[in-house]
């Protein structure tokens, strides 16, 4: 089995698209035809299937955000599991956004739950919070290596308050997020770097030459196609750009994904 | 409704116990009578009910670790929800260990899912990872204030690798975890400080005079009753000490909780 990083790169090449569609549905915002007759958790699933059908050939990967499913308890998790299954059946990679992070047996349980083919979720990749360090990451890295899965560690997040801890300057002069980027390079995993911080993204790109960067913040959060360029390598590889609301709640989800794909390709000169 | 912090303090006083029992069951380690006939997720629930009955009058609070339930998908979440309900019915406070952290609408969804009385979990308190800063925390703080719930932010975790990011010295000379402790004091919430780092706990205690400290690391991870003393205020208030395996898998869970309660009270001179 090809490593996750290579599978993702091949899918990006094949679809000429670095777009990651964020499956962040909210019941109150669903078009009426989905929200009318079903319980919320199942309305989310039907809506996701519609979005997946729209975007399956114009993006390599989708990213469900676990919070919107956890909100409906056990039913929400069942809906998430079916969403993952459906996306995979349409040839999409699935990156589940859970930002988990713990230690020892707890990290082992999370890694088994989400990355093992024997677990209930069996996604291709996971987001992880690395604040607890290497022994927090190790069980995820082990499962990822064994099953050719991916792990994306938060390096510099796209929100305004990310400056409070992540930009703290350490005594060597480097900010905390650069120390995290160096750990990511040591772990040889993937990373999350907000597209809303292009200067920091350029620095993170340098520090983690092997990592695939997930760049959130495009669209609703304000980042443009030009802003995501520093997350890519000079040859246009090495990053995916997430957009959630700007695609799934667009009047035409498919056209919104195509427009985003083309805008990024144009900015990359591809 | 009394604030969470005050409800917890009252329960600690009433039971003369600062013991937090970690409900971290693993199917493979359950006594045979629980593991024989039930599907794993429901065996965990039956085991938890047994443990809760054993410890309900000798500890003020229990802490289920979400990872061990997520491992069983939707069934695991249903089992977790029932565990929470049962613990509350026995007069226990419930701190759910999820270490979530995200931003904007995602943090809002998590906060609603776990802390709102209208959500599926409705626990008394939650653990949170603060690496993303204030706008990550705000939705949790808002729900907590509205519904008299608690939020415990990771300041210094009990694992060996916590030194990698949390002990990085910033240019002002203070380590990252002290910067996080100052944020916790600004947010006026509770904190997680590993009992395996007594010196750091003493410093965190100083920086967050109002916070209740959850001190994990007692027992299996090596911290002793003496090691947890710095997490408490001089008057013996302000902390709870977690033990999971050392209680739930003890031959006599109730006696193990009593012994731990007494050892901590003795170390505090209470």
């Amino acid at each position: 089995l090809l490593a996750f990083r290579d599978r993702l790169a091949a899918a990006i090449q094949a679809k000429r698209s670095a777009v990651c569609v964020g499956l962040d549905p909210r019941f109150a915002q669903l078009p009426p035809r989905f929200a009318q007759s079903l319980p919320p958790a199942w309305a989310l699933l039907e809506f996701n299937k519609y979005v997946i059908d729209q975007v399956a050939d114009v993006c390599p990967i989708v990213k469900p955000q676990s919070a919107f499913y956890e909100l409906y308890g056990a039913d929400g998790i069942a809906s998430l599991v079916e969403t993952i299954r459906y996306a995979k059946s349409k040839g999409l990679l699935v990156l589940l956004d859970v930002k988990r992070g713990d230690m020892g047996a707890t990290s082992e349980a999370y890694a088994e739950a989400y990355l093992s083919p024997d677990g209930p979720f069996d996604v291709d990749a996971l987001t992880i919070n690395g604040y607890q360090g290497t022994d927090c990451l190790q069980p995820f890295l082990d499962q990822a290596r064994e099953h050719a899965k991916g792990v994306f560690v938060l390096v510099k997040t796209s929100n305004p308050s990310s400056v409070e801890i992540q930009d703290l300057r350490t005594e060597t002069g480097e900010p905390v997020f650069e120390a995290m980027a160096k750990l990511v390079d040591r772990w040889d995993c993937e990373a999350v770097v907000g597209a809303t911080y292009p200067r920091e993204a350029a620095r993170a790109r340098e520090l983690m030459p092997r990592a695939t960067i997930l760049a959130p913040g495009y669209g609703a959060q304000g980042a443009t196609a030009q802003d995501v360029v520093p997350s890519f390598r000079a040859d246009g590889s090495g990053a995916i750009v997430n957009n959630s609301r700007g695609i799934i709640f667009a009047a035409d989800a498919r056209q919104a994904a195509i427009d985003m794909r083309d805008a990024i390709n144009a900015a990359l000169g591809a």
Side-chain angles (χ1 to χ4, degrees), chain A residues 87-150:
Chain A
K88 290 164 91 174
S89 80
K90 297 295 172 180
L92 289 164
L93 293 166
V94 178
L95 163 57
L96 184 59
D97 199 351
V98 290
K99 298 189 176 67
R100 299 297 192 264
D102 215 290
M103 67 183 73
T106 305
S107 270
E108 283 171 25
Y110 276 135
E112 192 185 335
Y114 290 101
L115 297 178
S116 166
D118 301 324
F121 299 98
D122 190 18
V123 292
D124 297 290
L126 216 54
T127 56
I128 300 292
N129 190 318
Y131 185 68
Q132 295 187 250
T134 299
D135 60 25
C136 155
L137 259 288
Q138 200 57 54
F140 295 100
L141 300 174
D142 291 346
Q143 284 280 351
R145 190 160 305 121
E146 187 173 347
H147 303 296
K149 301 295 182 75

Side-chain angles (χ1 to χ4, degrees), chain A residues 133-246:
Chain A
T134 299
D135 60 25
C136 155
L137 259 288
Q138 200 57 54
F140 295 100
L141 300 174
D142 291 346
Q143 284 280 351
R145 190 160 305 121
E146 187 173 347
H147 303 296
K149 301 295 182 75
V151 171
F152 289 77
V153 172
L154 304 187
V155 167
K156 171 68 182 166
T157 57
S158 60
N159 57 316
S161 303
S162 74
V163 299
E164 293 171 355
I165 294 291
Q166 299 165 31
D167 287 12
L168 274 181
R169 213 157 273 283
T170 66
E171 59 184 354
T172 66
E174 68 176 13
V176 167
F177 83 83
E178 292 191 15
M180 189 70 89
K182 288 176 179 173
L183 285 175
V184 164
D185 188 60
R186 172 138 63 86
W187 298 331
D188 194 14
C189 64
E190 325 307 331
V192 179
V193 182
T196 45
Y197 294 102
R199 215 162 46 96
E200 288 77 1
R203 182 68 184 134
R205 180 71 280 170
E206 271 175 35
L207 292 170
M208 313 178 294
R210 297 171 296 178
T212 308
I213 289 178
L214 165 67
Y218 187 95
Q221 283 181 61
T224 65
Q226 210 49 55
D227 291 332
V228 305
V229 171
S231 296
F232 289 82
R233 301 189 190 99
D235 70 357
S237 72
I240 49 175
V241 183
N242 186 72
N243 192 350
S244 303
R245 281 168 281 176

